[in-house]
């Protein structure tokens, strides 16, 4: 490419990532506080060679047609359900994500949610601030113990395993289910047992979700599966909102089918099901699983490095369609 590549970035990145991109091409940043509007995205992508996007930017056939020069699309997220990867492949566009740099941070948040819902921390905070708390009492805000309980992890990839690792410190029994069994040494190290999903639902005190969103996992937490859970169990979701059928969850909470839910992600973000906002047995966080300064910096830098590698003539380290495009 004779002239400098033109790169559209849908968020003003931190300086460490901007430094990588500045060396790579000519950058057009969307600097608005809100996500870039779809019409603006379609307009700005028209003359771009690369796009660095966020998980709320939908990268589909329409977008790819609007950016006929695009060669690479890099999402600043590990989940890439926002990208139609086959559509990218069909247009010979490389798609990349940011795996491996947010696992512990996301696991920390899953644990924060788990502890907060079990110990009713958010309710307690609201009570203290309300000015209505009248001092210690033996039976105020009684929660559930976390240590020594059974933790069920659905999806035992990098993040699920980091969640399991923290369970060791809390003396928990860890069950996991997923599309494939982990190597025996991993199971041993994490003291984790591979079980059928139904058994996980039946026996877990905490069910934590760590699956990608795809047609198999959409509404995995259905009315039917919620009914398999213990009445004293809690659901934790830091994966993707549509993995949970929120109507079924709200109904399960209402009917005391499970004890509570702590969610960082929602079915129709940023819209929240009003049946959930009204509940004290639900904690609702604004998709902050990876939201630490260190991790968000790493994610942005990694996305920028993927783009830089491509224009440097190398295969981007996190190319999702590497094999489909026949890249080495
Ligand atoms: C991801 O990376 O997929 C998270 O949901 C956002 O950090």
């Amino acid at each position: 490419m004779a002239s400098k590549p033109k790169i559209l970035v849908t968020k003003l990145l931190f300086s460490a990532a901007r430094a990588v991109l500045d060396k790579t091409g000519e950058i057009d940043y969307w600097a608005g506080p809100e996500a870039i509007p779809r019409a603006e995205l379609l307009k700005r992508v028209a003359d771009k060679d690369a796009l660095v996007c966020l998980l709320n930017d939908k990268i589909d056939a329409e977008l790819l047609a609007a950016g006929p020069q695009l060669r690479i699309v890099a999402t600043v997220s590990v989940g890439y359900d926002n990208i139609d990867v086959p559509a990218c492949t069909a247009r010979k566009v490389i798609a990349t994500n940011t795996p491996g740099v947010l696992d512990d941070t996301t696991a920390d948040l899953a644990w924060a949610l788990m502890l907060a819902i079990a110990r009713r921390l958010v309710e307690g905070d609201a009570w203290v601030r309300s000015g209505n708390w009248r001092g210690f009492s033996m039976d105020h805000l009684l929660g559930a113990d976390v240590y020594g309980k059974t933790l069920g992890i659905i999806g035992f990839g990098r993040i699920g395993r980091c969640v399991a690792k923290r369970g060791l410190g809390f003396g928990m029994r860890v069950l996991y289910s997923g599309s494939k069994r982990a190597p025996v040494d991993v199971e041993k190290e994490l003291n984790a047992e591979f079980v059928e999903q139904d058994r996980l639902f039946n026996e877990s005190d905490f069910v934590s979700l760590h699956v990608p969103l795809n047609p198999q996992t959409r509404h995995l937490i259905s009315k039917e599966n919620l009914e398999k859970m213990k009445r004293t169990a809690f659901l934790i979701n830091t994966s993707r909102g549509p993995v949970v059928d929120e109507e079924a969850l709200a109904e399960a909470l209402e009917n005391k089918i499970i004890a509570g839910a702590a969610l960082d992600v929602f079915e129709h973000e940023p819209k929240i099901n009003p049946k959930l906002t009204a509940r004290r047995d639900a904690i609702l966080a604004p998709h902050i699983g990876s939201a630490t300064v260190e991790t968000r910096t790493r994610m942005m830098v990694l996305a920028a490095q993927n783009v830089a590698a491509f224009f440097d003539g190398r295969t981007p380290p996190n190319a999702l369609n590497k094999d489909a495009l026949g890249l080495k």
Side-chain angles (χ1 to χ4, degrees):
M1 199 172 300
S3 56
K4 277 184 138 195
K6 289 193 165 91
I7 306 169
L8 174 62
V9 185
T10 66
K11 172 88 194 154
L12 189 59
L13 303 178
F14 297 164
S15 58
R18 291 208 303 268
V20 176
L21 288 181
D22 283 347
K23 286 192 216 129
T24 306
E26 200 180 291
I27 323 297
D28 175 9
Y29 284 107
W30 171 256
E34 308 287 338
I36 186 168
R38 178 76 177 173
E40 187 67 23
L41 177 59
L42 294 177
K43 193 171 97 191
R44 289 205 191 188
V45 83
D47 62 344
K48 299 300 187 300
D49 304 296
L51 171 62
V52 178
C53 63
L54 303 184
L55 55 86
N56 32 5
D57 303 319
K58 200 168 163 40
I59 310 305
D60 55 8
E62 181 192 37
L63 181 288
L64 295 167
Q69 280 170 227
L70 279 177
R71 305 273 30 102
I72 177 164
V73 170
T75 186
V76 189
S77 60
V78 64
Y80 54 90
D81 44 287
N82 56 323
I83 303 183
D84 182 340
V85 179
C88 288
T89 306
R91 282 193 170 260
K92 300 204 176 354
V93 174
I94 298 176
T96 68
N97 66 339
T98 60
V101 292
L102 48 74
D103 309 335
D104 280 299
T105 300
T106 306
D108 281 352
L109 189 86
W111 266 84
L113 291 173
M114 199 156 104
L115 290 164
I117 190 71
R119 299 303 303 271
R120 306 179 65 179
L121 200 54
V122 176
E123 279 181 84
D125 178 85
W127 193 17
V128 170
R129 286 170 199 271
S130 74
N132 293 326
W133 181 53
R134 295 286 167 260
F136 174 83
S137 165
M138 283 300 279
D139 53 5
H140 279 165
L141 286 183
L142 300 183
D145 280 329
V146 175
Y147 75 91
K149 294 281 181 68
T150 299
L151 170 59
I153 299 177
I154 303 188
F156 209 55
R158 285 180 303 260
I159 299 173
R161 291 176 196 188
C162 287
V163 170
K165 192 170 179 184
R166 284 151 178 75
L168 292 171
F170 279 71
M172 295 180 95
R173 178 168 78 115
V174 176
L175 306 178
Y176 77 93
S177 67
S179 51
K180 60 176 191 267
R181 192 169 171 175
V184 178
D185 56 324
V186 172
E187 287 188 346
K188 249 196 184 152
E189 185 198 329
L190 300 175
N191 195 20
E193 186 186 348
F194 183 61
V195 293
E196 290 292 326
Q197 198 169 270
D198 278 2
R199 197 178 139 206
L200 183 144
F201 282 126
N202 290 161
E203 295 182 18
S204 299
D205 298 298
F206 298 89
V207 172
S208 193
L209 306 175
H210 301 286
V211 288
L213 175 63
N214 57 41
Q216 289 72 47
T217 60
R218 185 174 293 272
H219 284 192
L220 167 74
I221 301 301
S222 57
K223 179 175 164 51
E224 198 192 0
N225 282 336
L226 284 159
E227 280 166 1
K228 291 174 192 157
M229 288 172 67
K230 291 184 178 181
R231 290 203 159 229
T232 50
F234 297 91
L235 175 72
I236 315 296
N237 190 11
T238 52
S239 63
R240 283 291 184 265
V243 174
V244 175
D245 176 346
E246 283 179 359
E247 278 296 315
L249 174 63
E251 196 183 310
L253 291 170
E254 182 64 24
N255 296 329
K256 308 231 169 299
I257 301 297
I258 64 168
L263 313 172
D264 182 44
V265 287
F266 303 92
E267 227 181 315
H268 307 288
E269 288 178 23
K271 286 199 198 111
I272 308 295
N273 186 326
K275 290 185 186 156
L276 291 175
T277 41
R279 303 208 61 86
R280 294 207 312 193
D281 50 7
I283 291 179
L284 314 176
H287 204 144
I288 51 170
S290 63
T292 65
V293 173
E294 301 93 322
T295 290
R296 287 283 163 86
T297 303
R298 281 194 292 266
M299 291 165 72
M300 290 179 190
V301 168
L302 189 53
Q305 284 169 341
N306 275 301
V307 172
F310 173 74
F311 290 111
D312 215 23
R314 291 177 284 122
T315 297
N318 308 110
L320 294 162
N321 47 358
K322 183 174 154 183
D323 293 342
L325 288 172
L327 301 171
K328 293 229 174 74

